[in-house]
Amino acid sequence: MATPLEPNYVLASDEFEKDKRLDNISDYQKLVGKLIYLTLTRFDISYSVQCLCQYMRDPLESHAKEAFRGKCLGSRRSVSGYCLFLGGSLISWKSKKQPTVS
C-alpha cells in the first residue's frame, strides 16, 4: 500500500447493512490507543490515526478494518523528515516516505 489511508478517503459514520456498529468498542479503543503511541516514531500514520480517533465512541466494522490495516504496516521504504523546535517545544514537523526501496 502506498499510504496508510488513501488520500480523500472518507470513513463512513452511519451504520448500514454491510457495515455494522461494533459490539465491543473497547478492543477498537485499545487498538487505536496503540496506534496513537506508534505515531511518536511513525509520523506517516498520524493522519490515519487522527481520522480513526474521531470514531472512538461509536466505531463501525470498517473503522476497525482500517485500524488493523494501520497496525499491519510493514513498509521497507525509508522515511525522512524534520522537526522544528522553538526553545524546548515542538512547533512543526514533516515526514515523507521515500519513493524507492532502501
Side-chain angles (χ1 to χ4, degrees), residues 3-17:
T3 59
L5 187 64
E6 296 299 321
N8 301 321
Y9 181 77
V10 178
L11 292 171
S13 58
D14 296 326
E15 181 178 16
F16 59 94
E17 187 176 308

Side-chain angles (χ1 to χ4, degrees), residues 39-59:
T39 61
L40 294 172
T41 58
R42 294 285 308 270
F43 298 127
D44 57 326
I45 66 169
S46 295
Y47 175 73
S48 302
V49 174
Q50 179 267 328
C51 289
L52 294 170
C53 286
Q54 295 176 11
Y55 301 99
M56 292 289 267
R57 290 187 64 199
D58 203 15

Side-chain angles (χ1 to χ4, degrees), residues 2-100:
T3 59
L5 187 64
E6 296 299 321
N8 301 321
Y9 181 77
V10 178
L11 292 171
S13 58
D14 296 326
E15 181 178 16
F16 59 94
E17 187 176 308
K18 294 182 181 179
D19 196 9
K20 303 286 185 191
R21 301 229 181 266
L22 291 178
D23 294 329
N24 184 2
I25 65 170
S26 64
D27 290 338
Y28 175 81
Q29 292 170 339
K30 288 177 187 177
L31 178 57
V32 173
K34 291 174 183 178
L35 289 172
I36 291 170
Y37 183 74
L38 189 59
T39 61
L40 294 172
T41 58
R42 294 285 308 270
F43 298 127
D44 57 326
I45 66 169
S46 295
Y47 175 73
S48 302
V49 174
Q50 179 267 328
C51 289
L52 294 170
C53 286
Q54 295 176 11
Y55 301 99
M56 292 289 267
R57 290 187 64 199
D58 203 15
L60 299 174
E61 290 174 357
S62 62
H63 302 148
K65 288 178 185 175
E66 287 297 329
F68 187 73
R69 180 178 169 209
K71 181 182 177 196
C72 294
L73 293 173
S75 175
R76 299 279 188 245
R77 292 186 287 169
S78 297
V79 176
S80 61
Y82 69 86
C83 296
L84 182 61
F85 290 88
L86 180 62
S89 301
L90 178 67
I91 60 171
S92 179
W93 57 265
K94 181 177 180 176
S95 67
K96 180 180 178 185
K97 189 175 284 191
Q98 298 300 317
T100 58

